[in-house]
Amino acid sequence: MKRIAYLLLPLLLAACTQRPDRVELTDWQFEYHGQQYAATVPGFIHTDLMANGLIPDPYYGTNEDSVQWVGDSVWHYSTTIRKSELPEGDTLWLVFEGLAGQASIVINGEIIDAMDNMFCQYIFPVSDFLLGLDDNMLKIGLTFWPVTNTRHDEECESLPSDSLKESWYGIPLPDRRAFTRIAPYQQGWDWGPKLKTCGIWKRVYITNKSQSELKEPSENNSFCSFSSDWNKIELRQERDSIGQSFAFYKDGKRIFMKGANWIPVHSFPVDDSENRARYRSLLSSAKEAGFNMIRVWGGGIYEHDYFYDLCDSLGLMVWQDFNFSTMLYPDNKEMLESIKQEAYENVSRIARHRCVVLWCGNNEVKNGWEDWGWQGVYNWTPEQRARLEKAIDTIFGYSGNSNYSDNSILAQAVRDCDPMQRPYITTSPLYGWGHKECTTHGDSHYWGVWWGEEPFEVYKEKTGRFMSEYGFQSYPMISTIKRFCTDEQLSIDSPTLRNHQKHGRGREIIDKAMMRYYGLDSRSLSLEDYAYMSQLLQAWGVGYGILCHIADPRCGGTLYWQLNDCWPVASWSSIDYYGNWKALHYRAKELFADDADVEAWREYYTVYPKERRYAEARYKVETQQEGALRVRIEAESDLYGVYIETEPHVDGHFTRNFADLKKGEVMEAAFVPTKAGADLAGVRVSVKTLNEVMRGR
């Protein structure tokens, strides 16, 4: 036995010293005012600056305004690695899975390339840089240039500003963001902050795998997952006596789709433990509320595999937009090549997941082209207009009355890279909400309610063949507001509250509808009551839309805008940034239930809340904390909008909340914390009712 052990020892030692096939590069630094600071990879420049105490949290107060300089600055990142630490092999590859912004790369002092597509991998051979080195360092540097950059020195001449790119293109576009492939929402949206950023937002490593091997499906995401019967789901868009249907079928039976639109979970959407917790909480909440579909909106990112893994496991179908939204895109050679690479890479990756049932070319590009008055603003010549229309067709496929393409760049990517050949549509919606066809042809984004300030009752007459966007705003509860707002700023008109309401008319539109249905508005309510009432209003209005869609046999599905937030804000979401369910999410859960009583809900909506009689709120509350926090409320008078809150506040939701109770009715609810294992010892509850607010008018 001893002799065998001696013989095995050299083999064991050799195995221990054998270098891996891949080495992650995580030890990076960035430069700030001539000093080097530690960077976290994956990450963004904003997260690195915050981690080093160099900027404040942009989510707090009005700090967003004070960090705008970050997106207009040049940033340098660097790392070194010894030759002896690299994988063995004649050919080594440096792989960036994702670089956000415009970047140039330098290896051992030599400028290698420039990159400006956040959604593409970049792979470089590095073996030649190791020739002649004993154990010297391989030095890698990245410089991120702002899209507003006006410098034209040798190092950045291949990364011009978007304004210069537009000048070279020769046609002014509605949004210069279209000239660099970055996440549009990071540049500001009507529910998100303007935090122009850059950084190494996905993994970076050196490997001895060949380029062809790097493109193969990973071990954890093999195509064997397609044994699921989800493969049998089909989209039918058929001409009929009404117009053109839009419905999903399985084994010949129509499935009514119930769900919401998804935006990124954070302004800096890295795949880390904190964001994974957000994915788990949000998607579990979607499943709990009876969702069967999530639409990944085209103004964010192509989501991380972890998102699709969760959708696979939860049985949530995914409508996947390509990452193009609400703007026109140039068709110069470099851009089209970049878009093709982006499409082929992301379809190949995402198609490994069985949850995907539909690919969509863009969000509202056709809608904008036809309806938003761009021609009058930019005075395009007939030749320019023809080229722009051709660009839409080249990238997405374009026809005035069709949602089908087989020869656009994106359609070809689906055909070549999705082994299941799941359907591709060119755009969403097929017709904007100002067209009569928006209710008869294809999917619909109905924004007459909200943007058009129409009453909620319009949802009944404006129900389309598939409602892929519609919604109404609310504020988060006071417990969330206090997390980004000082006590001195706790008023609806404060700079902080205005900063966290990104829609220019948001408060005014909410006030108008609140007065119509409740007889109250922000001028007559405390901030705490106003936040609460705005959520009841949102649940009332969007809930009515859901009811109209479910009850209409012509409609194939309802996906409200939106499920989640990327920061704490007043928005259309049904779950706030911290994972707390708003009243709308509870209403969606009730209406999406298989046993929802449609006739009872129709009766519920026949009386406006302001027309009810509100008795003095009387009730008994019992709490129990044996393994979980449970609440029992017995109504001793008719109660409306019964809201249970944890004291002190803990992020999460109750299994039932924001409920109406008849006298003698009992409501029981268990608390589900956003963070699994949250300490609930000593947590009690408080109860708020609409009765108290309405009787105080």
Side-chain angles (χ1 to χ4, degrees):
M1 288 294 295
K2 187 177 291 187
R3 176 176 175 77
I4 294 175
Y6 284 137
L7 291 172
L8 287 174
L9 184 59
L11 297 176
L12 292 171
L13 290 172
C16 291
T17 59
Q18 186 175 1
R19 284 183 270 176
D21 291 335
R22 185 169 80 180
V23 174
E24 300 272 346
L25 302 184
T26 58
D27 186 18
W28 289 78
Q29 297 79 43
F30 72 99
E31 182 182 328
Y32 177 68
H33 285 183
Q35 296 186 45
Q36 297 295 315
Y37 294 87
T40 300
V41 174
F44 291 87
I45 184 58
H46 285 81
T47 56
D48 286 333
L49 289 166
M50 280 190 283
N52 286 278
L54 301 173
I55 62 170
D57 180 358
Y59 285 7
Y60 190 79
T62 59
N63 288 343
E64 174 197 355
D65 298 335
S66 69
V67 299
Q68 290 305 305
W69 61 271
V70 175
D72 296 326
S73 302
V74 177
W75 297 100
H76 301 283
Y77 280 72
S78 62
T79 190
T80 58
I81 186 169
R82 290 187 179 277
K83 181 179 179 180
S84 59
E85 297 170 337
L86 295 174
E88 295 178 331
D90 294 333
T91 304
L92 298 181
W93 304 90
L94 172 61
V95 180
F96 292 98
E97 290 192 346
L99 293 171
Q102 298 193 123
S104 57
I105 179 172
V106 175
I107 300 178
N108 285 0
E110 182 179 337
I111 299 175
I112 302 303
D113 202 356
M115 300 146 284
D116 65 353
N117 191 323
M118 178 176 176
F119 310 115
C120 287
Q121 283 191 0
Y122 289 96
I123 304 173
F124 304 102
V126 294
S127 301
D128 288 351
F129 293 98
L130 304 174
L131 297 176
L133 293 181
D134 293 325
D135 197 21
N136 292 334
M137 298 290 190
L138 183 67
K139 300 177 182 178
I140 302 169
L142 289 169
T143 299
F144 290 93
W145 305 93
V147 295
T148 55
N149 174 46
T150 57
R151 295 172 57 181
H152 302 294
D153 55 38
E154 180 182 355
E155 187 175 2
C156 72
E157 64 181 3
S158 58
L159 285 169
S161 65
D162 279 356
S163 58
L164 185 57
K165 290 178 183 177
E166 183 178 60
S167 176
W168 290 349
Y169 186 57
I171 306 175
L173 296 187
D175 198 322
R176 285 175 177 161
R177 287 179 285 189
F179 287 95
T180 300
R181 296 298 296 142
I182 51 181
Y185 82 106
Q186 291 178 325
Q187 319 303 303
W189 220 268
D190 55 7
W191 39 256
K194 182 180 180 181
L195 293 170
K196 298 183 293 183
T197 193
C198 63
I200 309 169
W201 79 291
K202 291 190 175 183
R203 296 179 305 171
V204 53
Y205 53 87
I206 293 177
T207 180
N208 57 17
K209 299 276 188 182
S210 68
Q211 282 205 64
S212 60
E213 290 177 294
L214 290 169
K215 299 298 183 183
E216 288 298 313
S218 69
E219 191 173 315
N220 294 328
N221 290 300
S222 66
F223 286 115
C224 66
S225 64
F226 287 110
S227 60
S228 167
D229 61 1
W230 285 13
N231 306 333
K232 301 174 184 176
I233 292 173
E234 60 175 320
L235 170 66
R236 295 184 187 175
Q237 298 187 88
E238 300 171 325
R239 294 285 178 176
D240 56 24
S241 60
I242 303 168
Q244 181 175 305
S245 67
F246 193 107
F248 291 87
Y249 288 76
K250 177 184 173 185
D251 297 328
K253 182 179 179 181
R254 195 179 78 157
I255 306 171
F256 188 86
M257 295 301 179
K258 299 175 287 188
N261 287 261
W262 174 276
I263 67 169
V265 299
H266 200 283
S267 288
F268 311 117
V270 293
D271 183 10
D272 61 10
S273 59
E274 289 188 10
N275 283 337
R276 285 193 170 202
R278 292 185 176 100
Y279 285 126
R280 290 192 298 271
S281 174
L282 288 166
L283 292 174
S284 295
S285 293
K287 184 67 175 180
E288 185 180 342
F291 286 31
N292 58 14
M293 176 173 274
I294 295 287
R295 177 187 175 223
V296 179
W297 169 72
I301 62 171
Y302 300 97
E303 276 297 347
H304 298 287
D305 281 322
Y306 188 70
F307 166 87
Y308 302 103
D309 288 338
L310 288 172
C311 290
D312 285 346
S313 64
L314 290 168
L316 289 168
M317 290 174 276
V318 171
W319 165 323
Q320 177 67 53
D321 278 6
F322 283 88
N323 219 56
F324 302 87
S325 181
T326 62
M327 61 187 83
L328 298 178
Y329 295 86
D331 65 343
N332 53 293
K333 179 182 177 182
E334 295 79 10
M335 176 59 78
L336 295 183
E337 289 176 349
S338 182
I339 288 173
K340 182 175 181 180
Q341 179 185 349
E342 168 189 326
Y344 274 68
E345 287 184 8
N346 284 285
V347 172
S348 297
R349 176 177 64 88
I350 297 170
R352 301 166 191 160
H353 298 272
R354 64 181 183 270
C355 58
V356 178
V357 296
L358 178 67
W359 303 96
C360 177
N362 66 71
N363 173 74
E364 297 183 353
V365 171
K366 177 177 181 286
N367 189 185
W369 173 248
E370 295 176 343
D371 303 326
W372 294 353
W374 290 337
Q375 173 67 35
V377 172
Y378 298 101
N379 296 313
W380 295 311
T381 66
E383 293 76 17
Q384 289 175 326
R385 184 175 175 84
R387 182 174 179 183
L388 291 172
E389 186 168 284
K390 183 176 182 295
I392 298 174
D393 188 50
T394 299
I395 299 169
F396 311 110
Y398 175 74
S399 173
N401 58 7
S402 172
N403 219 344
Y404 175 78
S405 171
D406 63 358
N407 59 3
S408 64
I409 290 174
L410 303 186
Q412 289 176 348
V414 170
R415 186 173 64 242
D416 293 345
C417 303
D418 182 353
M420 297 308 301
Q421 294 296 286
R422 283 163 284 201
Y424 168 80
I425 61 173
T426 62
T427 190
S428 177
L430 183 56
Y431 288 97
W433 61 271
H435 296 258
K436 67 180 188 303
E437 292 91 347
C438 79
T439 62
T440 58
H441 290 69
D443 75 306
S444 175
H445 295 189
Y446 193 74
W447 286 108
V449 177
W450 183 262
W451 283 99
E453 300 185 29
E454 297 172 342
F456 297 131
E457 287 74 21
V458 171
Y459 279 134
K460 184 174 183 180
E461 63 185 88
K462 295 296 185 178
T463 293
R465 310 306 297 272
F466 190 106
M467 300 302 297
S468 49
E469 269 194 35
Y470 61 98
F472 198 88
Q473 269 198 2
S474 69
Y475 282 76
M477 281 299 191
I478 194 69
S479 55
T480 289
I481 292 173
K482 287 182 175 180
R483 291 163 80 164
F484 63 78
C485 190
T486 63
D487 290 345
E488 295 76 18
Q489 294 279 309
L490 286 174
S491 68
I492 195 66
D493 287 315
S494 72
T496 294
L497 264 293
R498 290 199 300 270
N499 179 255
H500 288 253
Q501 165 56 277
K502 291 300 185 183
H503 190 281
R505 295 185 289 117
R507 177 188 160 197
E508 289 75 13
I509 294 173
I510 293 172
D511 273 2
K512 180 180 177 180
M514 191 180 292
M515 184 59 70
R516 175 190 289 270
Y517 294 96
Y518 289 85
L520 296 167
D521 62 16
S522 62
R523 295 167 294 183
S524 53
L525 294 166
S526 68
L527 179 61
E528 179 176 348
D529 285 349
Y530 184 62
Y532 163 73
M533 290 285 289
S534 75
Q535 291 198 20
L536 293 179
L537 175 67
Q538 182 192 35
W540 174 274
V542 179
Y544 182 73
I546 293 172
L547 175 65
C548 293
H549 306 158
I550 290 173
D552 192 327
R554 306 173 308 161
C555 183
T558 181
L559 307 177
Y560 63 81
W561 184 270
Q562 66 210 60
L563 176 65
N564 59 307
D565 286 325
C566 69
W567 76 317
V569 67
S571 81
W572 295 262
S573 70
S574 64
I575 302 177
D576 77 17
Y577 170 71
Y578 296 108
N580 302 295
W581 287 23
K582 294 182 179 180
L584 172 57
H585 208 77
Y586 292 98
R587 181 61 52 84
K589 180 180 179 181
E590 293 177 296
L591 289 164
F592 285 166
D594 292 337
D595 60 353
D597 189 335
V598 172
E599 291 306 316
W601 280 108
R602 281 175 171 158
E603 178 65 23
Y604 172 82
Y605 276 103
T606 59
V607 180
Y608 281 9
K610 69 180 181 181
E611 297 169 353
R612 298 183 186 130
R613 293 184 59 190
Y614 291 88
E616 180 184 353
R618 298 193 303 274
Y619 49 86
K620 293 179 181 177
V621 181
E622 298 177 9
T623 60
Q624 209 175 41
Q625 273 196 320
E626 296 179 4
L629 177 60
R630 299 181 183 277
V631 180
R632 184 181 187 275
I633 298 177
E634 181 179 348
E636 296 179 325
S637 63
D638 288 352
L639 302 176
Y640 296 92
V642 178
Y643 168 59
I644 318 170
E645 167 68 299
T646 50
E647 295 286 351
H649 175 77
V650 179
D651 290 331
H653 68 275
F654 285 91
T655 50
R656 191 180 179 200
N657 213 343
F658 291 95
D660 294 347
L661 302 177
K662 294 293 185 182
K663 181 179 179 180
E665 191 175 351
V666 172
M667 180 177 90
E668 295 182 329
F671 183 68
V672 182
T674 298
K675 293 184 178 179
D679 184 7
L680 300 178
V683 174
R684 296 294 181 259
V685 301
S686 63
V687 177
K688 189 181 190 71
T689 68
L690 183 57
N691 300 55
E692 301 158 59
V693 179
M694 297 298 280
R695 285 174 63 85
R697 285 185 292 182

